[in-house]
Amino acid sequence: MARKFASDKGDALRMTKTVVFAVHRREPSGGRADFSPMKPRKGFAYASREMLDAWISNDADALPERVYRSALKLFTASMVLAVFEKENCLIVRGYDSLAEHAPIANDTAREQLALRYHETQRQKRPVSAKEMIEKGGHLIALESLLLPQKGGGWCIAVIDFQLSLAVPRSSADIDDIDRAILQLLYEGYSGKEIGQRLEMSHRTIEHRVERLKQGFGARSISQLVAISIAARIGGKSMKTWPLANCAQEARAKIDT
C-alpha cells in the first residue's frame, strides 16, 4: 500500500518503516515505548509443565535432551535436573542458589532419582511428589517430577529444593514456658505481646528468648524459630503442646 501511493521509492520506504513502527510499538502505562521481549516465567511449575508437554509429544526413541532442552531456560537457581541412564545418574543442571548447600542438594537429587527409577519404569508414567526428607543433618522440603522413557530406559528428574533447615544435634533444655514462648513466636507475636499473653514481664521474655537462642545455637530470633521447627519436625527435641496448655502451665509455675 505504501509503495502504491508514494510519489517515489524513497517516500515509499519511509512510509513502510513508519507503518511497521506503528504496528509494533507498544505503549506501557508510563507513556514510553517498550521494545523489550517478554521474558518467560521461571519456576518449577513452568519448567515441569514444559517438560511434561515435551514428554507427551515425543516418541519412545527420543533422547532425554529432547524432553528437557526447552525447559532449561525456565529453571531457577534452586532447581536440579538429573538423568538416570544405563545405571548412571548424571546431574545435567546442578543446584546454584547457595554454594554451601549445593553438594547436599545434588546428592539428594541423585538419591531421589535412583530411589524412584524403578517405580517410574513400572508405572510407565510421570511421578510427582512433595515431601520432607532428612539428609546430612538437614530437613529438606522438595518438589519433584520424574519422567520415564516410554517403553523403558532412561528417566529424568527435575527437583526444586524449596527449604532446608538444619536439625540441631542436641536438644535444648526447655520447659513449658519456653514452649509457650516458641509457639507465640511461630504465630508472629512480639516479645511485648508474648509477655502480655503469658502475664510475664517483657524483660523476662527477652531473657528467656536469649537463653533459647544460646541453647539452639541460633544467631537471631528468625533462626531460632527455624531451628526449633526443624527440631520438632525431626522428632529430636520438643514435644508439641497446645498453646492453651502451655500458657496455663506457665502461669501456674509463676503463681507458685
Side-chain angles (χ1 to χ4, degrees):
M1 294 292 293
R3 291 185 181 275
K4 181 177 180 180
F5 294 104
S7 58
D8 54 50
K9 292 184 178 180
D11 291 338
L13 181 60
R14 285 190 294 273
M15 291 176 65
T16 302
K17 288 182 178 180
T18 301
V19 171
V20 172
F21 177 79
V23 170
H24 291 280
R25 189 170 183 266
R26 293 185 291 118
E27 292 285 350
S29 58
R32 297 180 59 186
D34 182 11
F35 302 102
S36 59
M38 183 177 295
K39 294 182 179 180
R41 300 183 69 176
K42 294 185 176 183
F44 180 82
Y46 301 101
S48 59
R49 188 181 303 122
E50 181 83 9
M51 291 175 59
L52 186 58
D53 290 343
W55 180 83
I56 293 172
S57 61
N58 279 284
D59 54 31
D61 296 329
L63 296 175
E65 291 85 349
R66 293 188 61 181
V67 175
Y68 66 71
R69 186 186 300 118
S70 63
L72 287 175
K73 64 180 181 296
L74 306 178
F75 274 50
T76 62
S78 64
M79 295 168 60
V80 176
L81 177 67
V83 177
F84 191 92
E85 187 175 17
K86 299 178 181 178
E87 301 302 321
N88 292 317
C89 187
L90 174 66
I91 299 295
V92 178
R93 189 187 188 283
Y95 180 90
D96 196 31
S97 184
L98 292 171
E100 60 268 29
H101 290 177
I104 294 178
N106 293 335
D107 286 346
T108 301
R110 292 188 185 94
E111 292 174 1
Q112 289 294 302
L113 179 52
L115 182 66
R116 297 286 178 81
Y117 173 76
H118 294 292
E119 177 185 355
T120 60
Q121 298 300 314
R122 182 177 64 256
Q123 295 187 11
K124 299 180 181 180
R125 62 177 178 81
V127 174
S128 61
K130 288 184 178 181
E131 54 193 325
M132 177 84 74
I133 64 172
E134 187 170 350
K135 169 74 174 178
H138 288 74
L139 285 173
I140 301 173
L142 56 85
E143 187 170 5
S144 62
L145 173 68
L146 280 73
L147 300 171
Q149 182 178 10
K150 296 176 181 177
W154 50 256
C155 184
I156 302 171
V158 53
I159 301 177
D160 186 23
F161 291 87
Q162 301 173 342
L163 177 67
S164 178
L165 297 174
V167 179
R169 295 184 179 276
S170 59
S171 300
D173 184 16
I174 64 173
D175 58 22
D176 299 336
I177 300 174
D178 294 330
R179 292 188 179 95
I181 291 173
L182 287 170
Q183 181 62 48
L184 290 168
L185 285 175
Y186 301 157
E187 297 179 15
Y189 287 94
S190 67
K192 184 176 181 180
E193 292 170 329
I194 292 173
Q196 293 172 349
R197 290 289 303 274
L198 299 182
E199 299 179 3
M200 300 172 67
S201 71
H202 180 208
R203 294 299 181 189
T204 300
I205 300 299
E206 287 184 343
H207 291 322
R208 282 187 169 266
V209 169
E210 286 300 318
R211 184 169 59 81
L212 285 168
K213 286 165 58 179
Q214 293 176 5
F216 281 101
R219 295 188 298 272
S220 64
I221 292 179
S222 60
Q223 190 181 23
L224 168 63
V225 169
I227 292 176
S228 62
I229 289 174
R232 290 190 177 194
I233 296 174
K236 292 188 176 182
S237 183
M238 302 165 293
K239 176 183 177 182
T240 302
W241 285 49
L243 175 58
N245 292 345
C246 293
Q248 184 178 0
E249 293 288 340
R251 284 193 291 270
K253 289 182 180 294
I254 295 171
D255 294 338
T256 57

